[in-house]
Amino acid sequence: MKDTLFETIVDNYDNLKYSLLKAQTFDPAHYGFPEIYYKIMETDAQRVLAFEKAFALHDHFRGATVCEIGVGTLPLTKLYMPYVKKAYLIENNPDLVPFINAEIQKYPWADKVTVIYADAMTVTLPEKVDHIIGELMSIYCANEFQVQIFQHMRQFLTPNGKLFPNRIVNFARLCEATIDTDIHHYPVNFTRHQPMFLTQQFLVNEIELLKEKKQGVRLSFSVPVLFSGTVNALYLESYVEVTEGSNFTGTDSLMPPTVLKTTNTQKVQAGDLVHIDFSFEYGSSLDHISCVLS
């Protein structure tokens, strides 16, 4: 008997190359993402378990007052709510209001919740909180305002308060990729959609979300080339420390490895040293990243 599902996937590899890009593209018409994206997020065991483990590692989550930003369909909320004293839930997508209001009422912890429908970049909390949770993450924090939102929200933390996630480490590789002319970047859905790597993985930067003051990235560095070819893209990866001891290395639901066109192309020989001038603003767009090779 044929595995018709797998056969269908194999037959449609090429058609699926940019499907994840469409599913994860922010839709300003309804302040959020296509409905399928929420389903992708909810069913991602690595992502959900990383946060569940992070909450379990902190005994002081019990009896705490917390704030969660961008609660969406509440998959993370349900993990910690039985243990906390109080929670402020922030959501800016008006399409989710009826769902959130109805869903909360299904649980015995409903009376511990205050839902604030507002923009997390400007919202004010009525009191200090012990922890702030917010996975408003995109690869490199380039598409979402994870950094700016935490920069605003951390003023509402108690002196020993913590952010979840805590740290993001960004890596890249220079590569040779086949990308359509009207596409600037795409998240990798299947390994056959990976480019041909010309360098080893190298560290780009680290973002400590509790301390980060910058609004973007300005870097200049050089990378040795392993294989001859034409560099026309970067392969981006973000590793996330939700809290110390609980990490998330990116899956197709959140911060997936992403192929990004470089600003210019350059032919290289094995052993060459390629210089990279790399810059972008957090939350601006992956398409606005400048990556100049020389």
Side-chain angles (χ1 to χ4, degrees):
M1 182 177 178
K2 289 185 178 180
D3 185 338
T4 55
L5 174 60
F6 184 63
E7 188 174 278
T8 300
I9 292 172
V10 171
D11 289 341
N12 285 278
Y13 271 136
D14 289 343
N15 295 331
L16 292 170
K17 185 172 184 179
Y18 301 130
S19 60
L20 192 55
L21 173 64
K22 294 176 182 176
Q24 297 186 351
T25 298
F26 185 84
D27 182 359
H30 67 93
Y31 295 85
F33 298 91
E35 187 175 348
I36 186 63
Y37 187 42
Y38 293 105
K39 186 177 292 186
I40 293 171
M41 298 272 279
E42 290 171 4
T43 56
D44 183 349
Q46 184 189 140
R47 164 190 166 268
V48 174
L49 289 174
F51 279 88
E52 185 174 22
K53 181 180 179 182
F55 301 149
L57 285 171
H58 287 267
D59 288 338
H60 47 279
F61 238 88
R62 299 176 185 276
T65 298
V66 304
C67 173
E68 185 184 352
I69 305 160
V71 296
T73 53
L74 307 176
L76 301 185
T77 312
K78 297 170 185 177
L79 297 177
Y80 64 77
M81 274 310 306
Y83 312 110
V84 302
K85 179 177 68 176
K86 184 191 297 184
Y88 295 99
L89 308 183
I90 301 175
E91 179 56 57
N92 197 35
N93 183 350
D95 290 351
L96 290 175
V97 172
F99 172 84
I100 291 173
N101 289 342
E103 189 69 10
I104 287 172
Q105 296 309 312
K106 297 178 182 178
Y107 294 90
W109 40 257
D111 60 343
K112 298 192 291 184
V113 170
T114 298
V115 184
I116 303 173
Y117 295 106
D119 185 347
M121 296 276 278
T122 57
V123 71
T124 299
L125 296 184
E127 62 177 313
K128 298 279 188 178
V129 297
D130 300 301
H131 307 300
I132 294 176
I133 305 152
E135 54 160 8
L136 303 152
M137 292 183 285
S138 62
I139 194 84
Y140 276 48
C141 295
N143 282 347
E144 291 235 31
F145 294 104
Q146 176 86 52
V147 174
Q148 290 95 328
I149 286 174
F150 271 8
Q151 285 173 337
H152 170 69
M153 292 299 299
R154 63 196 184 195
Q155 67 181 294
F156 301 111
L157 278 176
T158 56
N160 295 318
K162 295 184 180 295
L163 297 176
F164 296 79
N166 173 57
R167 184 166 64 107
I168 299 169
V169 185
N170 294 322
F171 299 95
R173 282 179 260 184
L174 293 179
C175 53
E176 186 171 345
T178 301
I179 314 177
D180 292 350
T181 55
D182 59 336
I183 298 292
H184 294 282
H185 76 276
Y186 69 91
V188 174
N189 206 2
F190 299 99
T191 54
R192 69 170 50 203
H193 296 155
Q194 288 182 339
M196 209 295 287
F197 301 120
L198 298 173
T199 70
Q200 291 181 320
Q201 183 190 67
F202 54 87
L203 176 67
V204 174
N205 74 320
E206 296 188 35
I207 306 170
E208 291 191 53
L209 290 163
L210 191 61
K211 301 176 181 178
E212 183 70 15
K213 296 180 180 179
K214 299 187 293 294
Q215 297 298 309
V217 174
R218 303 283 185 277
L219 296 170
S220 184
F221 52 91
S222 297
V223 178
V225 174
L226 292 176
F227 299 102
S228 301
T230 301
V231 178
N232 69 340
L234 284 176
Y235 185 79
L236 309 179
E237 294 178 275
S238 290
Y239 295 176
V240 180
E241 182 182 77
V242 182
T243 194
E244 188 175 354
S246 181
N247 310 302
F248 175 79
T249 55
T251 68
D252 54 17
S253 84
L254 190 68
M255 306 176 88
T258 297
V259 178
L260 171 75
K261 284 181 179 176
T262 51
T263 305
N264 62 310
T265 63
Q266 183 167 324
K267 290 187 176 182
V268 295
Q269 295 292 318
D272 284 353
L273 200 62
V274 176
H275 186 79
I276 305 168
D277 289 305
F278 189 78
S279 64
F280 69 97
E281 301 299 320
Y282 293 130
S284 59
S285 169
L286 274 171
D287 293 341
H288 296 158
I289 289 179
S290 174
C291 179
V292 179
L293 311 172
S294 59

